[in-house]
Structures are given as C-alpha cells and as structure tokens.
C-alpha cells in the first residue's frame, strides 16, 4: 500500500457500492481498501456481531422502500481490530422501483466513539429484556424476549389485507395487535373464522399468533404467511434466549442471530412485493430479480407435475410465466430425494439438461398445492460446483412455498381470464357470426356520449333474411348477414365505423365523427350496391335492404333515445319501401303515428268490404292513329280527409297479410269494368294493372284471374299484367308468369322501380309489351342509339313498345322521333274514375268500335 493509500485509509473516508445479497457484498470504490486485499468485501463478515442485527434492520427499511437513505454507526473489522465507522448511503433503484444497490461513504469516527464498550443502541435493546430472561427458569414471556415494538412490527404484512385481523397473545394473556389495524381491546373471538399458530421457545408454547376475519377465503389464503412468520418469530426468540441465557458473551451467536434477521429481510420483502403489487405478474417481476440477486442465480424454472406430460415454464422480465420447449427426464435418484426431503442440490448434467456445457449448479425444491405434490422449482446458479449451505437450502425452501402460492394464483387467474373472455364473448358477440351484439352497443355507446363525441347511427335491415333462412337454412342466413356486415365495415369512410347485430335482421353501424350528409351518402352507397345481386357460396341473392340514419347528440343524446330514433327512421324507410336512406327529422315520430293511423284505416276498409277503395284509369293511345288502345288501372283509397295511392297502400297491405284479398278485389273490379266497356260497344277493350311480386309467386295469381275472367265472360287477352324488371319475378323460369302467358294474358314489362333498364325482358317469350319511361328518350347520342336498338329488337320479336309518363307536348314531340307504338300519360288525358271514363272516352268517343 502506497503512502497516499495509507493516508486515505487512515482518514476513513471510503466510498462503497453494496448489493442486496447473502452477506451484503460491496465493492470498495476508493483507491485503498483497509478491509481486504481485493476491491470487494462482505459486510456480513466485517460488521461486529453485536451490531449485525440493527444493521440488518436498517437494510430491511431500505429494501422494502420505507426509506431511501442509510445512516448508521457500526463497528467494522479492520485487520485484527474493530473500528467505529459512520456509514451513510442512498438507495439506487431501477425503473420498477426495485433496489439495485446502496451507494455511499464510510467515515472513521473512532476518535469520538469508544470501541471497547458496546454499541449504545444494542446495549439499550439488550438490557431492556436481560433481567426478565435471567430472573428465573422459563418464567419469561415472548414480550420479555423480543419486546412489544418488535412483535407489533412483525405483524405489518397483515396490516394491508382488508378484512383480516392479527394479534399475538403471549403466556401472560397480553394481546399485542398489529399497528393501526384494530383497537387493542378488540375481541377477535367475535369474528367467524380464525387460524392460530403456537410459538414455542425451548419446546414450550409461550405465545400464540392468531389471524381472524369474517371471510374464510381471506383467512385461509393467508395461512401459509402465518406459518412462515410464526416460525420466523420462534426462531428469533429461541436464538435470543440461547444468546442471553447460555452464550451471553458469544459473538458468533450474535452473528447467527443477525443472519436470521438478514434472512427475514428477504422473506418479509418477498411478501411485501406480493401484497403491494397490483397483480401477480407485477409481484413476480419484482420477486425474481430480488431472489436472483440474493442467491446469485442465472435462471429459475417451474415444472408442473400435475400435467401429463410435465410442462416446463420460465419467467421473463415482466413476471410472465411462459411455457418452454424442454425435455423432462424422470431421474429416479432425484425424485426419491425430492420425495424424502423436498429439496435436492444437483447440477444440470445430472438433470440431463446441460445444453451449453457449463454444468451450472442447481437446487430443485418441491412445491405443494393443497398438501399434495404439485411441481418443482429449479433454481440455477450462475456458477458450477457451488456448495449450497444449510442456511441457503432452508431459506430456498421457505421462499419456494411463498412463490408457489403466487404460481398457482397465476394459473388460476389465467383460467379465470380465459373464462371471463369466453363469457364476455357470449355476452357481447353473436355466437354464430361473431358480430358485436346489442349488449356491446349499449356498453360502448355511453362512453362515446360521455366523451362528448358526435356521430351517426345507421340502422340497416335485410327484410328478406327470414325467407333466405327458410330456403337455405339459418346457418346460411347467418353467413349472409355476416358477409353484409363485413362488406359495410370495409367500405371506405372518414369516420370510425363499428357494426353491431341489433336483431335477427337488423344491423346498427356507428360512425364516430360523421356529419349527416356523410352518413346519408354512406348509407345510400350501401343501398345502391345491394340493388344488384349479392353472391355467396355460388348462390345469387337479392337482398331487400333498408336504411335509416340519425345523428347524435343532435337527434338524441342517450342510448335509449338513439336506438328509438334509428329504429323510427328504419321503419319509415321500410313502410314507404324507400330505395333511399331515410334520415331522422323533427316530425318523424308524428309521421310514423300518421302511418299507423293510415294502416288502421286501410285495415278497417278491407274488413268493411273494401269501403273507400276506387280505381283511376289512365288512357293509352296509339301514337300513329290517336285511337284508344287500352287503359292502365291504378288503385286508390280515400275518406273525407285524405287520399292514399297504391304505392302507399301495398306496403301496408303486405304488413297486414291481406295481399291475396286485395288482389282478388283488384282483379274482380278490373274485369267488371272491362266487361262494362266492352258491353258499351268498345270491342277488344283491354285493362292493364301491376301485379306485385309476392302475388305473382303464388298460385292465387292464376286462380283469382281465371275465376274473374270466367265470371265476366272475358277472354284472357282482355287483361294485361304489368311487371317491373325490378320486381325480380320477370324471368323465364317463373311458372305462374308462363301460365298467364299461355292462357293469353298480355304480359307487360314495365320500366319502374330501379334506376337500370336492360334488354333482358325482350329475351322472355312471355313478354308482349314493354313500357319505357319518357325520361329515357334523351337527346344524348349514346342513350338515343341504345334506345333505338332496344325498340328495333322489340319490333323484331313482335313486341309492342309503349312510352310512359308523357306529360307534355315537348315530351310527346321528342318521343315521336323514336319508333314507339303507344303513349301513356296526362298529355293523352288525365286518369279518370270508371263512370267518368265511360262518359268521356266511351259514349262520346268516335273510336268506340275501333280499339286495337
């Protein structure tokens, strides 16, 4: 040692960095080390035995986080003598709050502290109980041995547990309760459940530790902690009795007592991490580094013996217990020793797991669950050929039992989490389609409102999903609904979308942040898409989709009223059979009420022999001769206050289930009118009327028509049936349509409904007339060319062409450029009731007998 180093050592100003590990190893950071030849020391070997217990208690306060600084006087062995040092330092913690080291300084203060006398602190501590311990044979109490302050402090792990009470009752009957938990006069016998553990000193019970509470699960789950803590107190008390009664002057005994307190630091702080951590994984993320640092470990694994084959797990830095691919070898010698003592010191080579050739030393400790063998924790050292002391083995067994409770709690939490996720999926998702359900909407939406967000709800209804289910099965119908939901979710939109299955045929979509026009356009785009066929599993489906749009919070500000508003707009769209999305408005509810009133009036009229129903007949004129060709009948209903046209009547009739009755009524009245006109002298007179899809798909369409024709002695050619391409019944395979054509009924393909027009009706042999809307007769060269080709093809197939909606002279002149045969519209004359029609167009018409 140089002169400078000797001068520094003499001054006693020494920097150090201490780790929390066995014996408290520390690195001397100063140039000189007066305690050893190297740069590392162990405070456990250098601190005076009488000072070691207080020294450990100060370190415990640092480790558990109650303080962050160390300030203590202690005697430290230097060469062959003890010198007083004042030790000061600060805790260095990682980002998780765990202790990494204690960095500080040691100052030689032997100049003003006498080393020949005992430390004042421990002298006061020992003299406090010495008289009681030496007064007579075994007449002392636990309070005499350890002091009330210690017995109160040792109960701190139970203070943080709700519903749990702790007390130590010594042989004198004195009750020592946990600080701040309950009144010292509190009677624990009034609580429903108790656990009790006797504390024995020199084979004699001198105290009992009791925990109690009204919840059996709370009491039982802390039984292991009570067992460990009671054993710790008994060990400390026995050590202290031996120290005082038999080895009062033995410094080795004092050091053993200090080591007991040192081990207690690890146990207490392990429990503290479990109690204070928010969850089990957070607890393990703190426990693993603590144990690894203390014992010098490189790895920890858990092998579960309850599974077949055995499963092996390893902890990661976050405390997660991860399964690993590792062969498990059933080595009989190790298994026998584990069954006998519960712990085996071995190495990786013996375990047949020395993959890296380092042959690291290991300790295998048995874990128990409910008193049965459940697994093994394997502690792997960071060195080979390590000798594990008896003290280390005992401490590892205690720590293992603590950790095992956390392990099984982790497994239980994982099972509960899996079960919770399963229950949540059942509660919040439709089981067959996986679409979030109404419960999810009612859970999510209030959060959206509470955060002050705005947006829109679109209610979609696939009204024919029930029919699809009856034909293809409910599983296929669910797939259709799922594919619809997936499509609308994938359509681009600036708003955040989420789809919910509100009922068997209704989907709700929330558009967070969307304005009314954006939501309307989005809904309209979906409706436009589904006017075309939808293909799923090689099947073509024509989905009848309606949509209603409402905005929150402007239209409604809570979940219940938002659902009501969305459903109202959807009902409006469906009742009026709108091809466009319906938007919520102030008078919507009143409008729906009016619709309900209308529905009631129509139902009453049907019950009263169709009272209030009547027909208007629109003349159809030959464009070349100007003569009356036929007329088109339109159904209306009226009373003293309002008139309702066919377009509004038919959806109501469908909802009431009266379609067949109204169809028979229409056919009967039309045939009666046609027969009257013919009897008046207008031979070959014909009447056309639209037939709905749901009637044309049934036998009643033929039966009712044949019956009426027979009753009024009319030929089938006296009646024309108009069908829209949009009605989905105008196809060659329609049986009832073909039967009508065969008996001589004139089939008209009418250009109403959708926005498209094709030549498909011309390919249907049943069609004898096509009607084209006047708006299609455009001046646009491309449109005009297409229309001319359609008309030419129709004439080639001997199909008559009629222009409908001719409401002005300008339109009439525009149409004359095309080779059409017939025109229909108010330009020819307004629609007339039957009597007025007879007076103006039959009895006064020169064309009475020249109808073609």
């Amino acid at each position: 040692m140089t002169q400078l180093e000797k001068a520094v050592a003499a001054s006693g100003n020494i920097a150090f960095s201490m780790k929390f590990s066995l014996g408290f190893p520390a690195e001397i950071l100063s140039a000189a080390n007066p305690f050893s030849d190297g740069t590392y020391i162990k405070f456990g070997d250098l601190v005076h035995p009488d000072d070691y217990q207080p020294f450990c208690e100060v370190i415990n306060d640092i480790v558990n986080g109650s303080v962050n600084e160390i300030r203590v006087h202690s005697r430290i062995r230097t060469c062959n003598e003890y010198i007083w040092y004042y030790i000061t330092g600060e805790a260095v913690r990682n980002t998780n709050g765990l202790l990494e080291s204690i960095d500080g300084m040691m100052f030689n203060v032997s100049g003003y502290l006498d080393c020949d006398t005992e430390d004042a602190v421990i002298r006061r501590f020992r003299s406090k109980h010495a008289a009681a311990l030496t007064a007579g044979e075994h007449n002392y109490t636990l309070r005499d041995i350890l002091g009330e302050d210690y017995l109160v402090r040792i109960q701190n792990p139970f203070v943080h547990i709700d519903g749990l009470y702790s007390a130590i009752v010594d042989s004198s009957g004195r009750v020592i309760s946990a600080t701040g938990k309950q009144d010292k006069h509190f009677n624990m016998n009034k609580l429903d459940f108790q656990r009790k553990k006797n504390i024995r000193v020199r084979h004699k019970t001198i105290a009992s530790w009791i925990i109690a509470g009204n919840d059996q699960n709370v009491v039982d789950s802390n039984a292991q902690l009570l067992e460990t803590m009671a054993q710790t107190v008994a060990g400390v008390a026995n050590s202290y009795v031996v120290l005082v009664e038999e080895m009062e002057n033995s410094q080795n005994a004092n050091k053993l007592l200090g080591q007991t307190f040192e081990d207690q630091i690890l146990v207490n702080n392990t429990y503290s991490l479990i109690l204070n951590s928010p969850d089990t994984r957070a607890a393990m993320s703190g426990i693993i580094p603590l144990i690894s640092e203390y014992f010098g470990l490189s790895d920890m694994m858990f092998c579960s013996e309850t599974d077949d084959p055995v499963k092996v797990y390893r902890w990661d830095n976050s405390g997660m217990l991860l399964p690993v691919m590792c062969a498990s070898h059933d080595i009989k010698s190790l298994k026998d020793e584990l069954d006998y003592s519960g712990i085996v010191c071995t190495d990786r080579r013996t375990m047949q797991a020395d993959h890296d050739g380092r042959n690291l030393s290991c300790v295998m400790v048995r874990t128990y669950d409910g008193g049965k063998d459940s697994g093994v924790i394997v502690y792997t050292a960071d060195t080979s050929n390590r000798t594990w002391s008896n003290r280390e083995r005992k401490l590892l067994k205690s720590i293992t039992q603590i950790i095992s409770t956390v392990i099984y709690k982790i497994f239980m939490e994982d099972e509960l989490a899996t079960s919770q996720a399963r229950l949540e999926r059942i509660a919040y998702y439709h089981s067959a389609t996986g679409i979030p359900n109404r419960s999810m909407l009612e859970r999510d939406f209030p959060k959206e409102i509470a955060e002050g967000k705005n947006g829109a709800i679109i209610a979609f209804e696939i009204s024919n999903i029930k029919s699809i289910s009856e034909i293809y099965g409910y599983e296929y119908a669910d797939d259709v609904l799922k594919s619809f939901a997936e499509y609308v979710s994938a359509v681009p939109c600036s708003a955040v979308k989420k789809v919910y299955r509100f009922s068997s045929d209704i989907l709700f979509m929330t558009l967070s942040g969307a304005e009314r026009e954006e939501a309307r356009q989005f809904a309209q785009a979906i409706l436009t898409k589904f006017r075309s066929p939808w293909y799923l599993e090689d099947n073509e489906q024509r989905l009848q989709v309606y949509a209603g749009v409402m905005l929150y919070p402007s239209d409604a500000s809570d979940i219940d009223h938002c659902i009501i508003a969305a459903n109202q707009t959807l009902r409006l769209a469906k009742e009026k059979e709108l091809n466009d999305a319906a938007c919520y408005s102030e008078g919507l509810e009143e409008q729906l009420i009016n619709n309900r009133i209308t529905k009631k009036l129509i139902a009453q009229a049907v019950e009263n022999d169709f009272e209030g129903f009547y027909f208007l007949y629109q003349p159809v004129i030959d464009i070349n001769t100007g003569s009356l060709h036929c007329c088109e009948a339109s159904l209306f209903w009226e009373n003293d206050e309002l008139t309702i046209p066919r377009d509004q009547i038919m959806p109501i009739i469908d909802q009431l289930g009266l379609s067949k009755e109204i169809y028979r009524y229409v056919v009967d009245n039309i045939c009666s009118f046609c027969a009257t006109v013919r009897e008046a002298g207008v031979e070959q007179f014909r009447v056309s009327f639209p037939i709905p899809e749901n009637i044309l798909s049934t036998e009643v369409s033929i039966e009712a028509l044949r019956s009426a024709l027979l009753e009024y002695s009319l030929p089938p050619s006296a009646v024309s049936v108009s069908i829209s391409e949009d009605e989905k019944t105008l196809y060659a395979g329609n049986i009832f349509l073909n039967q009508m054509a065969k008996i001589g009924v004139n089939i008209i393909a009418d250009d109403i409904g959708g926005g498209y027009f094709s030549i498909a009706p011309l390919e249907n042999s049943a069609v004898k007339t096509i009607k084209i809307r006047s708006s299609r007769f455009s001046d646009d060269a491309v449109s005009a060319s297409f229309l001319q080709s359609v008309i030419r093809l129709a004439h080639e197939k001997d199909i008559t062409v009629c222009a409908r909606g001719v409401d002005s002279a300008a339109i009439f002149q525009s149409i004359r450029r095309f080779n059409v045969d017939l025109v229909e519209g108010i330009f020819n004359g307004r629609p007339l009731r039957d009597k007025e029609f007879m007076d103006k167009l039959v009895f006064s018409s020169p064309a009475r007998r020249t109808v073609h």
Side-chain angles (χ1 to χ4, degrees), residues 438-495:
R438 178 173 180 170
S439 297
M440 177 75 87
L441 172 66
E442 292 173 346
R443 187 189 73 172
D444 291 349
F445 195 72
K447 298 177 185 176
E448 185 94 354
I449 295 293
E451 292 172 1
K453 296 181 180 178
N454 68 292
I457 294 179
I458 304 176
F460 291 106
E461 178 177 351
I462 305 176
S463 62
N464 61 332
I465 198 74
K466 184 177 180 181
S467 301
I468 294 173
S469 177
E470 291 172 352
I471 297 171
Y472 295 94
Y474 68 89
E475 291 182 352
Y476 182 83
D478 282 338
D479 289 342
V480 170
L481 201 67
K482 183 178 180 181
S483 67
F484 180 90
E486 289 172 347
Y487 177 80
V488 298
S489 298
V491 174
C493 180
S494 62

Side-chain angles (χ1 to χ4, degrees), residues 423-430 435-447 498-503 506 508 559-560 563:
L423 289 174
E424 181 170 335
R425 186 155 190 87
I426 293 172
Y428 293 115
Y429 293 87
H430 184 260
I435 303 173
N437 59 18
R438 178 173 180 170
S439 297
M440 177 75 87
L441 172 66
E442 292 173 346
R443 187 189 73 172
D444 291 349
F445 195 72
K447 298 177 185 176
K498 192 166 185 180
V499 177
Y500 303 88
R501 182 168 183 170
F502 190 77
S503 66
I506 296 177
F508 271 30
I559 179 64
D560 293 332
I563 289 174

Side-chain angles (χ1 to χ4, degrees), residues 13 176 185 290 591 675 740 816:
N13 298 335
I176 302 170
H185 300 298
L290 185 73
Q591 188 175 357
M740 283 187 180
R816 287 184 66 89

Side-chain angles (χ1 to χ4, degrees), residues 239-251:
S239 300
Y240 204 82
V241 168
V242 171
L243 174 69
V244 173
E245 293 183 354
E246 299 179 5
M247 303 176 65
E248 183 65 23
N249 299 319
S250 172
Q251 292 184 346

Side-chain angles (χ1 to χ4, degrees), residues 201-454:
V201 175
R202 290 243 173 142
H203 310 293
K204 177 183 177 182
T205 300
I206 66 168
S208 297
W209 194 337
I210 302 171
I211 60 173
N214 289 322
D215 188 332
Q216 185 176 4
N217 291 332
V218 173
V219 175
D220 291 346
S221 63
N222 289 279
Q224 182 65 46
L225 175 58
L226 175 65
E227 172 84 14
T228 302
M229 300 301 286
Q231 289 178 2
T232 300
V233 171
V236 172
N238 276 289
S239 300
Y240 204 82
V241 168
V242 171
L243 174 69
V244 173
E245 293 183 354
E246 299 179 5
M247 303 176 65
E248 183 65 23
N249 299 319
S250 172
Q251 292 184 346
N252 288 333
N254 284 348
K255 186 169 183 178
L256 289 174
L257 180 63
Q259 288 178 348
T260 303
F261 274 84
E262 180 185 333
D263 295 345
Q264 183 184 326
I265 292 173
L266 181 64
V267 174
N268 283 353
N269 281 283
T270 301
Y271 270 116
S272 179
L273 283 168
I274 295 172
L275 295 173
N276 296 325
S277 297
D279 53 56
T280 52
R281 286 178 174 79
M284 288 306 300
S285 68
I287 291 172
I288 299 301
L290 185 73
I291 296 174
S292 298
E293 179 74 17
Y294 194 83
F295 289 104
L297 303 177
S298 63
D299 192 18
M300 286 176 59
M301 291 194 301
F302 171 70
C303 304
S304 172
E305 295 181 336
T306 58
D307 299 306
D308 188 17
V310 173
K311 291 183 179 179
V312 182
Y313 302 86
R314 175 179 283 112
W315 284 276
D316 66 1
N317 294 333
S318 66
M320 287 283 290
L321 198 59
L322 305 176
V324 295
M325 297 294 294
C326 181
S328 175
H329 302 283
D330 189 7
I331 302 169
K332 188 176 186 305
S333 60
L334 297 179
K335 187 176 185 301
D336 291 344
E337 191 171 349
L338 272 173
D339 293 340
Y340 176 74
S341 62
I343 185 169
V344 176
C345 297
T346 181
D347 52 49
R348 283 188 170 179
R349 189 169 298 157
T350 305
M351 294 172 59
Q352 301 180 20
D354 188 22
H355 307 298
D356 55 7
R358 297 169 62 192
N359 195 27
L360 299 176
S361 298
C362 303
V363 176
M364 303 172 65
V365 186
R366 173 80 72 191
T367 62
Y368 304 92
D369 185 21
K372 298 180 180 179
D373 298 349
S374 58
V376 174
I377 296 181
V378 180
Y379 302 91
T380 304
D382 53 11
T383 60
S384 58
N385 300 319
R386 175 170 172 174
T387 301
W388 301 86
S389 67
N390 185 55
R391 174 190 171 196
E392 290 174 321
R393 292 197 299 271
K394 289 176 63 178
L395 189 54
L396 280 171
K397 286 185 71 173
S398 297
I399 292 295
T400 297
Q401 299 317 310
I402 298 172
I403 294 177
S404 66
T405 61
V406 181
I407 292 172
Y408 299 119
K409 189 175 181 182
I410 289 174
F411 288 147
M412 182 176 67
E413 287 176 351
D414 287 343
E415 290 179 5
L416 288 174
T418 302
S419 177
Q420 182 68 24
R422 190 183 304 112
L423 289 174
E424 181 170 335
R425 186 155 190 87
I426 293 172
Y428 293 115
Y429 293 87
H430 184 260
S431 58
T433 61
I435 303 173
N437 59 18
R438 178 173 180 170
S439 297
M440 177 75 87
L441 172 66
E442 292 173 346
R443 187 189 73 172
D444 291 349
F445 195 72
K447 298 177 185 176
E448 185 94 354
I449 295 293
E451 292 172 1
K453 296 181 180 178
N454 68 292

Side-chain angles (χ1 to χ4, degrees), residues 192-206:
D192 295 336
F193 304 97
Q194 287 189 0
R195 284 290 185 117
K196 174 180 171 184
K197 187 67 181 178
N198 292 331
I199 299 173
R200 301 172 65 87
V201 175
R202 290 243 173 142
H203 310 293
K204 177 183 177 182
T205 300
I206 66 168

